[in-house]
């Protein structure tokens, strides 16, 4: 069964005001694969359609995806950008294991963020904080080093995510067509 965790980093929390800066797809127990907005001509611009197309094509090969808050954010953002660019969206009925939902339902923590859940579970990998000014420099100044830092943050997120999902897998029940696993 092909499973991958994934994460997006975007310029905004709203798809009609932002773009995908990068996405990282980590096939289970394999190295992460990085997709960046500047993979095309080395420039960061407002057209993320080629990045979105490549991400959706890569994600489409997996039977199950793992994404923290992936049901409410990552899939919706990616699909909003795809529909705008007239690209076939990521299957809206695709199966997603979303640890934020597992934590909400089965754990009683102060927060269900990936950082809070991973700290509670004493996960080896740690989330890497990124200052807001880094996002501003990446988006507004097209600063490649700032984008590198955001990409590294995204890579760390999928590493943490895979460990969290391994620890919470006993709570994964039926994965239905709406993308929930509880």
């Amino acid at each position: 069964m092909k499973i991958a965790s994934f994460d997006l980093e975007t310029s905004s929390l709203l798809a009609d005001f932002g773009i995908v800066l990068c996405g990282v797809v980590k096939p289970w127990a394999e190295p992460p694969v990085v997709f960046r907005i500047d993979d095309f001509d080395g420039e960061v611009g407002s057209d993320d359609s080629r990045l979105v197309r490549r991400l959706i094509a890569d994600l489409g090969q997996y039977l199950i995806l793992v994404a923290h808050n992936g049901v409410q954010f990552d899939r919706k953002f990616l699909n909003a950008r795809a529909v705008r660019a007239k690209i076939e969206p990521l299957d809206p009925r695709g199966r997603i294991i979303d640890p934020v939902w597992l934590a909400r339902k089965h754990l009683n923590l102060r927060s269900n963020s990936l950082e809070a859940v991973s700290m509670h579970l004493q996960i080896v990998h740690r989330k890497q904080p990124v200052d807001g000014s880094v996002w501003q420099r990446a988006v507004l100044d097209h600063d490649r080093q700032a984008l590198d830092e955001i990409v590294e943050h995204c890579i760390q997120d999928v590493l943490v995510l895979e460990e969290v999902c391994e620890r919470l897998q006993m709570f994964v029940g039926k994965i239905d067509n709406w993308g929930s696993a509880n």
Side-chain angles (χ1 to χ4, degrees):
M1 184 179 319
K2 290 183 78 168
I3 301 173
S5 55
F6 81 100
D7 188 36
L8 301 178
E9 299 303 338
T10 62
S11 65
S12 170
L13 294 177
L14 302 171
D16 52 347
F17 283 84
I19 61 169
V20 178
L21 295 175
C22 71
V24 175
V25 179
K26 185 181 181 313
W28 216 252
E30 293 180 29
V33 179
V34 175
F35 300 87
R36 300 168 56 119
I37 188 74
D38 63 352
D39 283 344
F40 311 96
D41 306 322
E43 293 292 320
V44 176
S46 62
D47 182 3
D48 62 352
S49 62
R50 291 181 288 180
L51 173 60
V52 168
R53 185 182 312 280
R54 286 186 57 209
L55 269 167
I56 289 173
D58 193 70
L59 291 168
Q61 68 181 313
Y62 297 98
L63 182 60
I64 296 174
L65 298 172
V66 177
H68 198 83
N69 205 27
V71 172
Q72 290 299 317
F73 180 76
D74 299 83
R75 181 171 58 190
K76 286 181 178 182
F77 194 102
L78 193 59
N79 282 345
R81 299 304 299 166
V83 169
R84 176 184 170 89
K86 299 179 178 101
I87 297 168
E88 189 71 28
L90 186 62
D91 185 356
R93 294 168 310 279
R95 287 149 168 72
I96 292 182
I97 296 172
D98 191 337
V100 78
W101 291 103
L102 296 175
R104 285 181 182 149
K105 184 172 182 179
H106 299 286
L107 307 177
N108 186 15
L109 305 178
R110 67 173 170 77
S111 168
N112 297 308
S113 71
L114 184 57
E115 181 176 29
V117 173
S118 67
M119 287 178 64
H120 176 73
L121 297 175
Q122 299 177 327
I123 298 301
V124 173
H125 289 97
R126 291 281 175 229
K127 284 186 57 71
Q128 175 185 331
V130 178
D131 187 72
S133 66
V134 173
W135 254 269
Q136 292 168 344
R137 288 195 324 271
V139 174
L140 300 174
D141 300 335
H142 308 291
D143 183 326
R144 187 169 176 86
Q145 283 185 298
L147 185 59
D148 289 344
E149 192 172 334
I150 292 169
V151 168
E152 196 53 45
H153 167 81
C154 197
I155 291 169
Q156 282 302 118
D157 278 1
V158 295
L159 295 173
V160 170
L161 182 56
E162 185 176 82
E163 283 187 77
V164 165
C165 194
E166 286 174 352
R167 293 286 301 280
L168 296 180
Q169 70 182 347
M170 77 277 289
F171 296 122
V172 176
K174 180 180 177 193
I175 303 171
D176 65 30
N177 287 333
W178 294 103
S180 60
N182 51 32

